[in-house]
Structure formats: structure tokens, C-alpha cells
Amino acid sequence: MKKIKPNYFSRSQWKQKCALLAGTTLLAVSLFAFADHAEAAQPHSSYWYPNTLLKWSPDKDPDAAFNRGSVKLQEGRVTGAKVNEHAQVDPKVIALSSMYSSTSGAPSQGSEEFHTYTFSFWQYIDKLVMWGGSAGEGLIVPPSADVIDAAHKNGVPVYGTVFLPQTEHGGRIDWLHDLLAQHEDGSFPVGDKLIEVANYYGFDGWFINQETQGGTPEDAQKMVNFLKYVQQIKGPRMEIIWYDSMIDDGPVKWQGSLTDKNKLFFQDMGQRVSDNLFIDFRWQYRDDKNGKYDYITPYLNSSTKAKELGRSPYDLYAGIDVEAEGYEGSYNWPVIFPDGQAGTTSLGIYRTDWAFNSSKSNEEYLEKEQIFWVGNNKNPEQTALPEGADPLSWRGIAHDIVDKTVLSGSEFITHFNTGNGHIFAVNGKVMRDKDWSNRSLQDILPTWRWITETVGSGTLKPSFDFNKSFYGGTSLKVAGDLAQDSSTHIKLYKANMPVAATTELSVTYQANSDAGKVKIGAAFSDAPDEYEFFEPKKWEPVGEQGAWKQGSISLEQYKGRKIVGLSLKFEATKGKADYVAHIGQLSVISTKDQANAKMVKAVTTLKVTENEFRDGIYGDARLTWNEPEDHSDVLYYQVYRVQPDGKYILLGSTGNNVYYVPEMKRLDKELSTKIVVIPVNRHYQQGKGAAVSFKWPEYPQPIAAFKAEQTLIAPGDTVQLTDLSSEVTEQWNWSFPGGEPSSSTERNPKVNYREEGNYEVTLTAKNSVGENVLKKKLITVTKEATNGIVNLALDKTASASSFVNDNEAPKFALDTNDKTKWCAVGEAPHTLTVDLDAEHKISEFVIKHAEMGGEPAAFNTRDYKIQYSIDGKKWIDAVSVNDNTQGESRHAIELTSARYVRLVINKPTQGGDTAARIYGFEVMGLK
């Protein structure tokens, strides 16, 4: 194998030295421009109601380009030999997964958060539905770009959701009618838009779930016509999946099987209406004691009915609901996958994101995810339940479904990148040391997690390590005790790769000891259960300071055969406790292709199209560029920031030709910031870079701001003051007339007040540019506060602009129970009004938003104000907030008399959800 070619940074450093000698500039290696300024914003994945979808077009949607997938669906996944004797080939799996915590606010190209739902067990699913939609946000939800990319890379088609909710969850029959609106020429405009969206964003169809009650026979027939119309216009590679809900005479009545009442939405005589039917969860149940219901028998008959309609029984997906209990629940496996017989139907899994949602850490998530897919033994070969175990208990999807692979070409490179990390390395050098996640960057991960075969007494175990990486954010960590003359064989990948004379195997690793030999294993199609092991004769130092070893082996003598399995073997030459090896890269490559690979040219017309600045020291940017003329070999584009000291920091990567640079901090009062875009080819070789710069606004003087922990105290009490001044503040001068001390230069001082009275606090915030003064008559000292301050709103009368139902009424915002809430739906503003029964002196407000009740932070109230009134007619603003993200908000105010208090919510959530969720509203003051 050829040694790693010099990357962009080593080339540009060399060229810069030459340029200095020649008196030239960076123009020698990159394109350079200055940007104009406009407002930028984080792009988010789309969501619509039927009527708002009709108004959408990519030309009018500023986020549309960011939401396009950049990876085409990998065709021809291979089943190959089975590692589990129970697994079946014919039944398929569809996963309905909520890839984000909410429909709105889903970032288009990843985020700067590490702990995210980076699903990776693609080998066990055949279709992924990005589940989403709510009455308060939108009903039509396409998959985000990173989900499209990750699914397609693994050969899995991905679908958007059309969700018409039940009326008790905010559903409206008008939305159904909007969906089914038809032109005189017979076309369905929403159907046209659904196909336009799927084609533009690059995904594979729609999952349609109509559960709004109140439908009529006319609605049902119109839905069938709608589905037939979409079938006609969608194209051969796109699919429509129907959920078992509506029946032929209009109402919602879940069948749990394919019946005469729902078959019309699946197949109408010789005409395909939908490509798949997701059968409701009740197929599993029968009342054997009283005989009141039996869903199992009709379900078992579904296979025959599908065949009568000319369809495969595996076009039917029997659903299981794992949202609440995951692998801790009971599911009727013997009915869908009877022992020794063909599967009854395919399997549908609702909310496979349970493993993530029920986990508090990434480590817990990975543990649960592995058990979910391969069973309690954490080995896809060994999934059988213990003797005497409940046959309805979880046994892992790998028990019944054969794993599949897309490794069928001539080359394959993995860095074991899961799609998130604490760092991002490029050829062994850390180019980013901040958390990140982007499913578009996920590698094809091991098919088998994990199959280990140990000879002797060694204890080596594989796992993903997020603290060390050769390329990306992860490496494969193999750790444990090495015992003398022991060996551990780790089977990793199923494959179907042809071997040519130029085929090479290669591995890059580092270890804390030379006590273990590292070998690459390969199984061939003529003997799929037998692995041959190859040890490189020469190891080259690679990466920063040669910290990694790279070795390769030619397979010329095996040409004409096919690789069907890839593995690693660790052989102990001597004993070593706590042995640790990190595998940074494993590859099958063609030396001919790599030698002939051309350096990718720079992108052109790189522009910063939008900027937004905050406080003069934070800024983001939207970038756009034209791809190189020949970009067929481009894997993705890396986006770097060049710091004032010349150091390159990776901001992120995308396969698209647009990128959003998240908010970054100004460094050393710099006047402009340079951003460089570097293309990377499929061999992970960097091409030429192009650069663009944007200018920062003038460096600002501070804006003084502060808060008091409490504003109403008894004589002798101490007040903690907290500085909230803008971040450019360099000095703080406080004045507290009547307090002890009377002044301070601390940032967050404490002040004691001995005498009753009303006291003023002044803060002067300074920096090298100027100063700003804030004066507040804020502190009230009274003996009335000696007995403490109480929540005046507790159990008082509350009213609201609206509420969903009696269980989410206004009174539940005042009961101090974090498990109950006031919830209002519809268009903002939403108001909650509290009558304190009498006039009181109030000093503080406390709001508990959605996160305090266990809901996602994305549902925390964003924009609100708090008002007070003596008579309930004339209202005065006490607090105004337009950028809250926290789960709990506390607002201390100057002592004020009021009988009525009103919370006005202008933006209920961080995204587009219009529902307000308030788990607590407290008004603190004197009795």
C-alpha cells in the first residue's frame, strides 16, 4: 500500500514557506474573498401542515438546500452466510424512529452536541421511517439530510412521515380534508408536493398515518384515490407505506391484521395502492380466558389474504411498540416467527429510539442499543433464550433477522466513526477538540457487535473509544489482559468483495505494548467459516509524531476469490495486563485506484451568504460554493476556521455544497476571520483549499447587567449579586450605598444590609473601548421579610387563554408538582393569569418550563413576559425575555404591589411547536 499522501496542511505549510521567499501570498494555494453581511440562522429540517406544504418551494425556503441528502442509496445489499442459525432472510424490518427529540428545531447538518441518537445497527433493518409530527408543530416531516446520508450509505431507504393525529392529541378533521383536496383535473396538489419534496431532498417515500377520527366513507374513498394518484406519479424507486388505522367506511379502527376492512388501502384488485402495510400492534393479543377478543387468528390469516391479493406476506409489517419498555417488554415472537417455520410477516418496530431516550449517557445508550439488536449475550451468534425463559421476552432482532452488508465493491475504508465525538482527528492529528455530531459522517460500522473467539486465558474485548481517533471522532478499542500464547479473534464485517491482483488489506493502529501481534483476518466465499490471517511484514509510522502504525498486505495470490468476512486477530507474544490497542483504520483498497486518484481541485465561488453577530464577539455564517468541475470522487467537504495564529480548526464537514458555521467566538479582537473549505476524496485524501473571509463589527464597549439572588430581605441578611454584563467586560465597579461593603471590584460580590429601607445598586462595566453604567433601585429591607417569603400563587385561581384538556388545566401550573402542567395549543400568544385573592407585595417570579417536567429542552419557553396588575385591567410589564433556553427561570424584581399576575408566552418553544408547556409558575412575596 502507498504511504499516506501529504494532506492539505503539510502542503500549504510548505507552499507558504516558498511563498514567503517569493514574496507572494496565500493566493498561491487558495481562493480568497471578502463577504458582505446579512443575517444568518441555524438551518433546520422541514415540517409542514398540508396547507403550508402547498406554499413551499426550494427557491423560497432558505433552509431547503441544507436539507438535501448527498449520498445516493447504495443498491444491492448482500445477505451472505448467516452467523445465527435462527435468522431468516425473507422477513424484513421497518424501523419507525424519532431521530430528534422534537419535530421542530432539528438541525439540518448535525450539531455541537455529543450525546445524540447516532443509530448504527443498519444491518438489521430494511427501511427507516423518520417518525415525527405533532398538532403543535407540523404533520408532514421529511427525514433530515444527515439521516438520509447515513441510511443510504448503509443501503437502507428512508421515508418521511405524514401524521394526522387523533383528536385527543390535537388532530383536526380539516387537516385530513386539506391533505385530500383535489383539483378538477383529478390531481391531488398535496400529493404532488410530497413527491416534489422527496425528489428534491433525495429520500425514498412516505409513511402515511391517518388516525384523526371523524372520517366518512367519502373520505376513505378519497384517501384510496389519493394513494393511487401518488403511486402513479412517484416513480419506480419511491414507496408509500400505509398504517393500519382508517377502514373502508371512514372511521379509525385499528385491525391488527390485513382484513376486508383495510385491504382497500393496500391493494385494489390488480392495482397497488400502497407498497407496504404497517399492521397495528394488537395482532399479538387474544383473550384465551373469556374469549372476548382474538387478534391473533386474523393476523395469522393475513399471509393468505396478501397472497390472494397477489402480494407477498412480507409486504406486511406486524408492528411492535417498544417506545415505553424497549427490550424489557413482552412481545409475541412465537406468532410472528414460529420455531422451525417461515416468518408469518415482516416486522415493524415503533420507536427504536427507545434505547437512546431511556439513557442518561452515551455509554448507557450504546449498551442498551447492543442488547436491543443482538440480545442479552451481546453476541449476534448467541441469541437463544435460556432454558425455561418466557418465550415472549426479548431475544434481540439478530435472532430472527439475518444481517446484511453493502461491502460488495472493490474498496472499503472505515475509521469506526460513529457519527459523533469529543474530538475530530485527521490522519492522527486532532483538528477539533469540541463535541460534535453529524450522522452524515458515520462510517459503515462492524456488522457483528461483537463476535470474539479467544484461545487461552486472554480477556480482550472490543468497544468504541471516543477519546482517541485516527480519523474522525472514534476508534475501535480492544482492551483487556493478554495472556502468554493466547489469541483473540474479533469478527467484524460481512462482505462480498472481489479480489483483484491490486487488492490490499491495511490496518492502522496504536497500542500501549508490543506484547500483541495484530493480524488482519479474511474469509473467502469458497470457505466462509474459515479465516486466513495476515500480518504486515513492515509497519510504517503515521499520524502526528508517528504515533500510529500502518501495515498492509497484498492479496495478489488470492485474485479471483471473494472476501466474505473481515476480522482482526490479536496474538500474545508475552503476557501483558491492561493491554489496550486502538484501531484507527481498517481497509480493503485497490493500489491501482489509489495510485491513479487525482487530487480534487478547489471549490469555486465560495461565499459567505449570511452572517449574524451577537455581542460583537460571536458570529455564525452560511456558506455556499460550487463543486469542482470533476467532483465524482469527492466524499465530502471539510470546513476550517483559520485562527489569528494560523492554526486550522475544523468546524465541520458536509457532502453538500452549502454549510452552516455554528456560532464561534471572536479571538484576540480580530478584525476578520478566514474560513477554508477543503474537498476530501473517497481515499480520505485532501484536495486544494478555497478560502473566504468575513469582517467583524467594531469591537464593542460593555453593556452592564446584573441580577440579585433576592430583592426582598430582612435586616441583617446578605444579598448575592451576579454579574450578567456582556462578555467583553474587563472591569467591574460596584456601588452599594447603605450596604456593607459600600463598593466592590469583584465580579459577583455579596452585600449585607442592616437597616430597613430601599437601596440602590450601581454597576459600571468597563473595557478598553469604553464603559456602561446600570443603576437599579432594587433591594428592599423590611422586618416583614423576617418570617420568610412565600409562594403567593400556590393553590390560587388561575385562568388561561386555552388548555388542551382537564388534565392539563391552568391550575396545574400552580400546584408545585413537577409532574403536572398547564398545556395550551393553537397559535401564540398564550396567557396564564393568576388571581392572588388580594393585593400583595411581590419580589420574584419562578417559571418551570418543559424540561423541568422531563420533556425535551427544545420545548422550553423561548419568548415570554410577566405582567402585574392591581385591578386586572391595567397591566404593567415586570419581566421580558426573548431568548430563554433554560428549564427553570427566576426573575427577582423591585418590590411591587399587585393582585393579579399574568404570564404571556409569545414563542412557546425553541422551534416551531406552538404548544405552551408550563410545569410551574410561582409568585414570591410577602403574605
Side-chain angles (χ1 to χ4, degrees):
M1 175 183 178
K2 294 182 66 177
K3 293 180 65 175
I4 293 177
K5 291 184 178 180
N7 62 23
Y8 173 84
F9 310 108
S10 59
R11 290 197 307 272
S12 62
Q13 289 167 1
W14 178 82
K15 288 188 178 182
Q16 279 183 306
K17 291 177 182 177
C18 295
L20 289 171
L21 292 172
T24 60
T25 69
L26 184 63
L27 284 168
V29 293
S30 66
L31 308 176
F32 196 76
F34 275 93
D36 294 326
H37 299 305
E39 284 196 359
Q42 164 71 58
H44 291 108
S45 188
S46 304
Y47 49 93
W48 306 277
Y49 297 95
N51 59 347
T52 59
L53 175 61
L54 292 176
K55 301 175 184 177
W56 176 87
S57 74
D59 296 335
K60 297 178 182 178
D61 181 355
D63 290 354
F66 295 86
N67 290 317
R68 303 186 76 176
S70 60
V71 178
K72 293 182 179 180
L73 178 64
Q74 183 75 34
E75 303 281 1
R77 288 206 302 176
V78 176
T79 298
K82 298 191 295 184
V83 298
N84 190 306
E85 62 179 352
H86 305 283
Q88 299 189 41
V89 173
D90 292 331
K92 310 303 179 187
V93 174
I94 187 171
L96 276 60
S97 298
S98 184
M99 307 302 286
Y100 295 95
S101 59
S102 61
T103 293
S104 58
S108 300
Q109 297 174 319
S111 72
E112 297 196 298
E113 294 183 19
F114 167 72
H115 184 42
T116 51
Y117 181 40
T118 51
F119 173 75
S120 65
F121 281 84
W122 302 98
Q123 62 269 37
Y124 297 112
I125 71 172
D126 298 275
K127 304 172 192 286
L128 176 78
V129 174
M130 181 158 154
W131 181 254
S134 72
E137 296 170 285
L139 312 176
I140 300 171
V141 184
S144 58
D146 61 332
V147 173
I148 297 171
D149 289 348
H152 282 186
K153 189 181 299 182
N154 286 274
V156 175
V158 60
Y159 305 82
T161 300
V162 179
F163 175 48
L164 297 167
Q166 299 172 48
T167 53
E168 55 266 37
H169 298 301
R172 302 177 187 173
I173 196 66
D174 289 346
W175 287 334
L176 173 62
H177 295 154
D178 289 343
L179 178 75
L180 301 179
Q182 191 172 15
H183 287 160
E184 290 184 1
D185 63 3
S187 64
F188 290 85
V190 174
D192 291 330
K193 278 293 182 183
L194 290 177
I195 301 307
E196 180 187 354
V197 167
N199 283 328
Y200 179 79
Y201 285 157
F203 60 95
D204 307 291
W206 292 94
F207 181 94
I208 300 179
N209 180 12
Q210 194 314 87
E211 293 191 276
T212 304
Q213 300 94 328
T216 65
E218 291 76 19
D219 292 330
Q221 185 56 55
K222 206 164 189 181
M223 177 62 81
V224 171
N225 294 339
F226 173 84
L227 294 173
K228 289 179 178 179
Y229 176 78
V230 174
Q231 282 285 347
Q232 292 171 359
I233 66 170
K234 67 179 176 59
R237 294 193 175 186
M238 201 173 290
E239 292 184 319
I240 301 300
I241 304 166
W242 176 256
Y243 178 64
D244 163 28
S245 49
M246 190 183 221
I247 58 174
D248 55 2
D249 57 351
V252 172
K253 191 173 182 181
W254 303 275
Q255 299 294 288
S257 56
L258 177 61
T259 70
D260 289 337
K261 292 182 177 295
N262 63 13
K263 68 179 183 181
L264 194 62
F265 303 98
F266 179 59
Q267 184 79 14
D268 185 15
M269 304 296 288
Q271 187 171 3
R272 178 177 291 236
V273 181
S274 59
D275 297 283
N276 301 116
L277 173 66
F278 188 102
I279 294 174
D280 182 67
F281 317 122
R282 64 197 65 215
W283 61 269
Q284 306 175 75
Y285 308 117
R286 177 168 56 205
D287 182 4
D288 290 324
K289 183 176 181 180
N290 301 309
K292 292 183 178 180
Y293 57 85
D294 177 9
Y295 293 103
I296 292 178
T297 300
Y299 165 69
L300 292 174
N301 293 333
S302 297
S303 176
T304 300
K305 185 168 286 291
K307 293 175 182 177
E308 291 172 352
L309 294 172
R311 300 288 295 274
S312 167
Y314 300 117
D315 287 343
L316 308 176
Y317 289 79
I320 59 173
D321 182 356
V322 301
E323 180 180 19
E325 296 182 286
Y327 55 64
E328 295 166 351
S330 295
Y331 308 95
N332 207 332
W333 306 114
V335 168
I336 186 172
F337 299 124
D339 286 345
Q341 301 179 42
T344 307
T345 63
S346 292
L347 173 67
I349 313 176
Y350 175 71
R351 300 302 298 270
T352 52
D353 49 302
W354 167 86
F356 177 78
N357 296 333
S358 62
S359 300
K360 294 181 179 179
S361 67
N362 196 61
E363 292 76 17
E364 183 183 2
Y365 160 58
L366 292 178
E367 172 96 357
K368 286 185 172 180
E369 188 86 316
Q370 187 180 7
I371 294 173
F372 188 96
W373 293 100
V374 304
N376 282 297
N377 294 323
K378 303 177 187 177
N379 183 333
E381 280 185 329
Q382 302 168 10
T383 57
L385 295 173
E387 188 174 347
D390 182 354
L392 306 186
S393 58
W394 196 263
R395 54 201 194 186
I397 302 303
H399 183 85
D400 299 292
I401 301 297
V402 69
D403 48 64
K404 305 168 189 71
T405 182
V406 292
L407 303 189
S408 57
S410 61
E411 293 191 318
F412 165 63
I413 300 174
T414 182
H415 301 104
F416 304 98
N417 190 9
T418 61
N420 60 331
H422 298 302
I423 61 170
F424 197 105
V426 175
N427 293 328
K429 182 177 182 179
V430 175
M431 303 302 296
R432 177 189 174 97
D433 60 5
K434 292 172 57 179
D435 287 356
W436 64 276
S437 64
N438 186 345
R439 282 171 283 223
S440 292
L441 305 184
Q442 185 183 88
D443 287 340
I444 297 172
L445 295 175
T447 314
W448 304 304
R449 280 174 262 169
W450 303 99
I451 300 177
T452 59
E453 299 170 348
T454 298
V455 176
S457 56
T459 62
L460 296 185
K461 300 294 182 185
S463 64
F464 295 119
D465 192 324
F466 295 88
N467 297 309
K468 192 177 291 291
S469 173
F470 180 72
Y471 208 115
T474 330
S475 60
L476 177 65
K477 179 180 178 180
V478 179
D481 293 337
L482 273 178
Q484 178 104 23
D485 298 325
S486 68
S487 67
T488 298
H489 180 209
I490 304 173
K491 296 180 180 179
L492 294 171
Y493 288 95
K494 176 181 285 188
N496 188 41
M497 304 182 69
V499 178
T502 57
T503 300
E504 281 191 353
L505 301 178
S506 176
V507 65
T508 302
Y509 85 103
Q510 62 175 231
N512 64 349
S513 170
D514 60 0
K517 290 183 178 181
V518 178
K519 297 182 177 181
I520 306 173
F524 298 94
S525 57
D526 50 0
D529 296 325
E530 298 177 9
Y531 279 78
E532 298 188 38
F533 299 100
F534 306 91
E535 181 181 7
K537 294 180 179 179
K538 184 179 180 181
W539 295 96
E540 298 281 353
V542 294
E544 190 172 33
Q545 297 180 344
W548 297 78
K549 297 178 181 180
Q550 183 184 70
S552 58
I553 305 99
S554 171
L555 294 184
E556 182 178 5
Q557 67 184 91
Y558 296 88
K559 65 181 180 181
R561 300 173 74 181
K562 280 191 175 182
I563 298 171
V564 296
L566 287 170
S567 67
L568 291 170
K569 189 175 185 180
F570 296 81
E571 292 182 352
T573 57
K574 56 185 175 180
K576 167 62 178 173
D578 299 322
Y579 174 82
V580 179
H582 289 92
I583 313 302
Q585 179 175 302
L586 179 65
S587 62
V588 181
I589 61 103
S590 166
T591 55
K592 180 179 178 181
D593 287 350
Q594 192 174 54
N596 293 333
K598 296 180 181 179
M599 182 186 297
V600 182
K601 294 181 178 180
V603 304
T604 59
T605 62
L606 173 61
K607 298 177 183 178
V608 176
T609 58
E610 298 176 5
N611 273 121
E612 186 172 6
F613 300 105
R614 178 172 65 86
D615 299 339
I617 59 168
Y618 290 98
D620 62 1
R622 287 189 173 202
L623 306 178
T624 183
W625 59 84
N626 289 334
E627 295 178 308
E629 184 176 345
D630 181 8
H631 60 272
S632 59
D633 209 31
V634 173
L635 184 65
Y636 55 68
Y637 302 91
Q638 293 176 337
V639 182
Y640 289 88
R641 176 188 187 174
V642 184
Q643 296 187 155
D645 62 2
K647 183 179 180 180
Y648 279 64
I649 301 298
L650 181 69
L651 299 173
S653 303
T654 179
N656 215 320
N657 69 329
V658 292
Y659 187 74
Y660 171 72
V661 177
E663 192 175 71
M664 51 188 165
K665 188 176 181 180
R666 190 175 191 171
L667 300 175
D668 302 330
K669 299 181 182 179
E670 61 190 323
L671 300 179
S672 64
T673 290
K674 184 194 301 180
I675 296 175
V676 176
V677 175
I678 302 174
V680 178
N681 71 14
R682 58 190 171 90
H683 294 114
Y684 292 89
Q685 297 165 344
Q686 292 178 324
K688 294 183 178 180
V692 67
S693 287
F694 66 84
K695 295 179 181 178
W696 290 91
E698 291 186 10
Y699 199 78
Q701 70 177 32
I703 299 174
F706 63 88
K707 70 175 182 178
E709 183 180 34
Q710 50 188 337
T711 59
L712 179 60
I713 62 172
D717 285 350
T718 297
V719 175
Q720 172 71 63
L721 292 162
T722 301
D723 170 59
L724 300 175
S725 303
S726 57
E727 196 173 338
V728 295
T729 304
E730 297 167 0
Q731 290 180 291
W732 299 264
N733 291 334
W734 297 86
S735 175
F736 322 111
E740 296 180 10
S742 61
S743 64
S744 176
T745 57
E746 295 180 11
R747 184 172 183 179
N748 300 305
K750 293 181 179 180
V751 189
N752 183 269
Y753 294 92
R754 297 186 179 278
E755 304 295 332
E756 288 188 298
N758 296 320
Y759 295 93
E760 197 170 70
V761 176
T762 301
L763 170 61
T764 302
K766 297 182 178 182
N767 70 3
S768 58
V769 177
E771 65 179 47
N772 183 251
V773 179
L774 177 62
K775 184 182 293 186
K776 289 184 182 180
K777 191 174 183 180
L778 189 64
I779 309 299
T780 298
V781 183
T782 175
K783 292 178 180 177
E784 293 181 78
T786 303
N787 295 325
I789 300 167
V790 299
N791 177 10
L792 301 170
L794 181 63
D795 295 329
K796 294 300 191 296
T797 302
S799 59
S801 53
S802 69
F803 55 95
V804 176
N805 54 54
D806 291 340
N807 293 323
E808 297 178 332
K811 65 180 181 180
F812 293 111
L814 310 182
D815 64 1
T816 69
N817 182 350
D818 289 349
K819 294 183 179 179
T820 62
K821 67 180 175 183
W822 162 59
C823 182
V825 294
E827 295 300 318
H830 305 296
T831 60
L832 175 69
T833 305
V834 183
D835 183 353
L836 302 177
D837 289 343
E839 189 174 327
H840 291 274
K841 294 178 179 179
I842 58 178
S843 61
E844 185 181 18
F845 306 105
V846 180
I847 307 174
K848 295 183 178 180
H849 306 281
E851 191 176 5
M852 298 302 292
E855 296 193 61
F859 292 153
N860 288 339
T861 315
R862 180 74 179 183
D863 185 328
Y864 61 89
K865 60 183 177 181
I866 304 173
Q867 302 173 317
Y868 65 88
S869 173
I870 297 294
D871 58 7
K873 297 178 181 178
K874 183 180 179 181
W875 294 92
I876 300 171
D877 290 349
V879 174
S880 182
V881 176
N882 59 19
D883 59 354
N884 175 64
T885 60
Q886 302 301 309
E888 181 176 278
S889 304
R890 291 181 173 271
H891 302 285
I893 63 170
E894 182 182 352
L895 193 65
T896 302
S897 293
R899 172 173 174 172
Y900 301 94
V901 175
R902 182 163 69 184
L903 173 63
V904 181
I905 297 175
N906 296 312
K907 191 173 189 336
T909 63
Q910 305 298 304
D913 194 330
T914 60
R917 301 165 175 86
I918 301 297
Y919 281 83
F921 185 47
E922 301 175 10
V923 181
M924 310 304 294
L926 299 174
K927 287 185 178 181

